[in-house]
Amino acid sequence: MRSIWNGAISFGLVSIPIKLVNATESHSISFRQIHVEDGGRIRYRKVCELEDREVRGDEIGKAYEAADGAMIPITDEDLGSLPLPTAKTIEIVAFVPSDRIDPLQMDTAYYLSANGVPAAKPYTLLREALKRSQKVAIAKFALRGRERLGMLRVVDDVIAMHGLLWPDEIRATDGVAPDASVTVRDKELDLADALMDTLGEVDLADLHDDYREAVEELIAAKASGEEAPHAPAPARGGKVLDLMAALEKSVRDAKESRGEDVAEGKEQEGAAEVQSLRGRRTAASKAAPRAASKSTPKAEAGKKSTSTAKKAAAKKPATTKKATGAAKKSTAKSATAKSAAPAKKTGARKRSA
């Protein structure tokens, strides 16, 4: 890998010559700007405003624009002679636990390579010290015209450095959180936890860029004169009004996508429904004597609800049928007892007559 910066790590009085190389690379597909009518390339030319002519790269320098618009030229020699110890040195200033670093501060990642054979011993010493301490090193370094913060940690057998943003470069969260006051129920949290458990963990190495692959297929199709692939029309969906239903469906979909058997979950859901129906029927049986003594229409409504409950119970598993049969027997006994009571009263009236 090509180095982008040469310098040294300053570790107290120990100096470790190193080379800085990029630890990441971009695989994104880049496009060119063209003239739509004829496909010609659109290019940018660097033109001097005073002379109104295009200038070469070796004629271009840098300058700072003052408040009044005046340009103050700054050369690379000016920047290289700044009285900064970090101009060519990664200066370690502290060692802290890794959880002290806010991920929001993370920036570009680099690998630090030992520059030469004499650097191998102090490089290894710092690497092993970082491993044993289970801490990260906070450092300051200058790169591309500015001083930056860095975090040194061990990746495999290499010291890696993450550029860090300065604390004042992190924006406050004011005005970002929802303004409305929302209450989250425990059942909703339980379902959210169940969804998180179902999705589980993932090996990041298994993830890939679907968008880039789709763009590559599009380019290949156009280059060969074939019809470009089109995405299916998105389904029109309304607003999710029932959060619990959406969470439950998400859990089922996640299980199905992982090839897990959701029959057990459905049986549990069915058992819960039957239990709630039994509760309703128990309440209905308690209220049955009062309903029967008042009017016939209510009794007929009770029969309809009982028949509906029977049909629903017929669709349940075998264990549910047993429970339903037991409930039928208890209901029949109570009905027989109720019918017997009026008969006794009728007999007593006949004797008295």
Side-chain angles (χ1 to χ4, degrees):
M1 290 183 282
R2 186 176 63 88
S3 63
I4 61 173
W5 184 88
N6 291 348
I9 300 175
S10 175
F11 178 32
L13 296 178
V14 178
S15 181
I16 310 172
I18 57 97
K19 294 185 294 185
L20 193 70
V21 298
N22 284 318
T24 61
E25 58 186 3
S26 176
H27 291 164
S28 61
I29 298 174
S30 59
F31 297 99
R32 304 294 187 186
Q33 289 186 331
I34 62 170
H35 189 199
V36 177
E37 291 184 2
D38 55 18
R41 282 282 305 275
I42 301 297
R43 299 180 182 273
Y44 293 98
R45 292 182 171 89
K46 297 182 178 181
V47 177
C48 176
E49 293 181 350
L50 297 179
E51 299 181 10
D52 194 20
R53 71 175 180 88
E54 186 176 356
V55 295
R56 302 188 308 272
D58 58 356
E59 297 180 87
I60 299 174
K62 59 173 68 74
Y64 176 80
E65 185 176 2
D68 59 357
M71 294 295 177
I72 304 172
I74 302 293
T75 65
D76 291 337
E77 290 75 14
D78 294 334
L79 296 175
S81 61
L82 289 174
L84 286 176
T86 57
K88 281 293 183 180
T89 303
I90 299 174
E91 182 183 4
I92 295 177
V93 296
F95 292 88
V96 299
S98 59
D99 57 7
R100 289 270 302 276
I101 307 301
D102 190 338
L104 285 173
Q105 288 185 257
M106 294 289 191
D107 202 359
T108 310
Y110 307 94
Y111 289 142
L112 304 182
S113 172
N115 193 1
V117 176
K121 180 63 179 285
Y123 183 96
T124 305
L125 172 64
L126 176 59
R127 183 191 67 197
E128 296 304 315
L130 287 171
K131 281 184 180 180
R132 191 167 70 172
S133 67
Q134 297 184 347
K135 292 182 178 181
V136 297
I138 302 300
K140 295 171 68 177
F141 66 102
L143 183 65
R144 297 190 177 99
R146 59 185 292 246
E147 189 174 55
R148 307 182 180 197
L149 275 178
M151 180 191 76
L152 277 63
R153 69 184 184 98
V154 179
V155 177
D156 296 333
D157 286 332
V158 174
I159 299 176
M161 181 174 68
H162 297 267
L164 299 179
L165 300 174
W166 296 98
D168 59 359
E169 293 179 314
I170 305 297
R171 292 181 174 179
T173 59
D174 300 341
V176 180
D179 295 333
S181 178
V182 179
T183 301
V184 179
R185 295 178 296 172
D186 289 340
K187 290 184 178 179
E188 293 170 340
L189 282 175
D190 292 341
L191 280 173
D193 291 340
L195 179 57
M196 292 168 63
D197 292 339
T198 302
L199 293 176
E201 299 181 357
V202 66
D203 186 356
L204 294 181
D206 296 334
L207 301 179
H208 58 278
D209 189 348
D210 293 325
Y211 180 80
R212 178 169 60 88
E213 291 180 358
V215 172
E216 289 174 348
E217 291 178 4
L218 171 64
I219 294 172
K222 289 216 166 206
S224 59
E226 300 176 359
E227 184 180 356
H230 296 284
R236 294 182 178 179
K239 294 182 179 179
V240 179
L241 300 179
D242 191 345
L243 181 59
M244 293 286 288
L247 287 171
E248 289 173 352
K249 187 176 185 306
S250 299
V251 172
R252 290 195 299 269
D253 292 346
K255 287 182 177 179
E256 290 176 355
S257 66
R258 288 177 170 269
E260 296 182 11
D261 187 10
V262 297
E264 182 179 354
K266 289 182 179 178
E267 288 180 1
Q268 292 176 356
E269 291 176 3
E273 291 176 1
V274 172
Q275 185 176 0
S276 63
L277 286 174
R278 282 206 301 266
R280 291 178 184 176
R281 290 183 60 184
T282 304
S285 63
K286 289 181 180 179
R290 298 179 184 176
S293 62
K294 286 184 179 179
S295 61
T296 305
K298 292 185 178 179
E300 291 177 357
K303 290 179 181 179
K304 291 181 179 180
S305 62
T306 305
S307 62
T308 304
K310 289 178 180 178
K311 291 179 180 179
K315 298 179 181 179
K316 306 300 176 182
T319 56
T320 306
K321 290 182 180 178
K322 292 180 181 180
T324 307
K328 286 181 180 178
K329 290 180 181 179
S330 61
T331 304
K333 289 180 180 180
S334 61
T336 305
K338 290 173 188 174
S339 60
K344 290 180 180 178
K345 289 182 181 181
T346 305
R349 288 177 182 174
K350 287 181 178 181
R351 290 191 193 96
S352 62

